[in-house]
Amino acid sequence: MYLFKRSEDLQNWLQTVRGHNRKIGYVPTMGALHEGHLSLIRQSSADNSFTVCSIFVNPTQFNDPSDLEKYPRTPGRDIELLVSSGCHALFMPDVDEVYPKDVDTRLQLDLGPLDQVMEGAFRPGHFAGVMQVVNRLLQLVLPDRLYMGQKDFQQQAIIGEMIRLLKLPVQLVMADIVREPDGLAMSSRNVRLTPEFRQKAPIIHEILLRIKQEKEEKSVAEWKAWALQELQQAGLKPEYVEIADGSTLQAVDSFKAARYIVACIASWAGEVRLIDNMIVKR
Ligand code: AMP
């Protein structure tokens, strides 16, 4: 695997491998890699001739400076995991490389109500930062396919809309959520859970599964109230439980209101903010 710190070196290498019908797959990450990230790498390696991964903890998407500071960083281990997962090139740029002083990387896009709800409502400015970095990284890598996890459902929906609005020549592939054996969605943040909250956290998945399996049993409003209560009783501090149209991300008031419906939860488990979701109707 090649390791590039400078975009110029990455681009020189990409120039040597592009062409002859070879496809480039790209997996952007913030590092502290786990099986969820590696599943994206493997899927990309299966679909494309070359896979590029980037590790960049993007400062512009953190609305809370202490979250950025505490974000786990494990570069040595990440490199080993990527080598054994079939990644061809790792791009690990510094902040100045992604955001050079002489390049205006900000993006003004009207996403309608897509970024006003859920994560957008609770983390002001977060998606502006995500779009800024993904757009910039896409310009540097110019992949054929971009791999993102369903774990961040709203993020992939917003990036899909950004790609459509900017007419970027890349195909977005959404990959399934990889979970721990007890159901907790894998996340770089899970290492920061105390043993007590690590034990409690799988309730988020249990709630989502129950909504999916027994959705006819209660109304959407009843499920949301029930889920909030279950989370609180378990000692978690939910920010939202939402049941939304999977295409528009707008809340639905009935399971008949859309063909594609996703249930989403964001909750604090002690000092750690967790998000998870499940497609309950498709
Ligand atoms: P991050 O490093 O958290 O920015 O995540 C990088 C990519 O990995 C994003 O597209 C995430 O949605 C995806 N990802 C994170 N956790 C998981 C998971 N448990 N299963 C599948 N994909 C994931």
Side-chain angles (χ1 to χ4, degrees), residues 120-131:
F122 281 89
R123 300 184 67 189
H126 170 65
F127 286 125
V130 169
M131 285 195 292

Side-chain angles (χ1 to χ4, degrees), residues 28-31 34 36-37 39-40 71 147-149 151-152 155 176-178 185-186:
T29 81
M30 298 204 298
H34 51 67
H37 298 113
S39 74
L40 302 187
Y71 200 83
Y147 291 81
M148 302 194 92
K151 164 76 172 33
D152 300 275
Q155 169 172 280
D176 291 346
I177 302 176
V178 178
M186 289 194 179

Side-chain angles (χ1 to χ4, degrees), residues 27-40 54 56 61 71 147-153 155-156 173 175-180 184-190:
V27 182
T29 81
M30 298 204 298
L33 300 183
H34 51 67
E35 260 312 300
H37 298 113
L38 301 181
S39 74
L40 302 187
S54 61
F56 179 63
Q61 73 187 68
Y71 200 83
Y147 291 81
M148 302 194 92
Q150 183 199 319
K151 164 76 172 33
D152 300 275
F153 190 88
Q155 169 172 280
Q156 65 76 38
V173 181
D176 291 346
I177 302 176
V178 178
R179 299 179 178 282
E180 299 288 355
L184 176 64
M186 289 194 179
S187 164
S188 305
R189 290 188 163 90
N190 291 353

Side-chain angles (χ1 to χ4, degrees), residues 63-64 66-67 70 122-123 189 192-193 197 200-201 203-204 231-232 234-240 265-275:
N63 49 323
D64 173 0
S66 83
D67 189 24
K70 288 188 204 138
F122 281 89
R123 300 184 67 189
R189 290 188 163 90
R192 293 184 43 229
L193 289 167
F197 281 105
K200 292 177 173 181
I203 191 166
I204 298 174
L231 290 162
Q232 278 155 356
L236 272 63
K237 290 207 172 68
E239 274 190 349
Y240 61 80
I265 292 178
S267 179
W268 289 89
E271 300 288 301
V272 185
R273 188 175 182 278
L274 301 175
I275 58 168

Side-chain angles (χ1 to χ4, degrees), residues 109-123 125-128 130-131 152-165 172 240 242 244-251 260 262 264:
L109 275 188
D110 182 4
L111 296 169
L114 265 192
D115 65 346
Q116 307 294 310
V117 293
M118 298 193 282
E119 293 302 284
F122 281 89
R123 300 184 67 189
H126 170 65
F127 286 125
V130 169
M131 285 195 292
D152 300 275
F153 190 88
Q154 189 173 12
Q155 169 172 280
Q156 65 76 38
I158 284 173
I159 295 301
E161 184 65 3
M162 179 190 86
I163 289 171
R164 201 180 65 78
L165 290 170
L172 176 63
Y240 61 80
E242 198 51 275
D245 182 319
S247 309
T248 65
L249 301 185
Q250 302 312 291
Y260 181 32
V262 60
C264 302

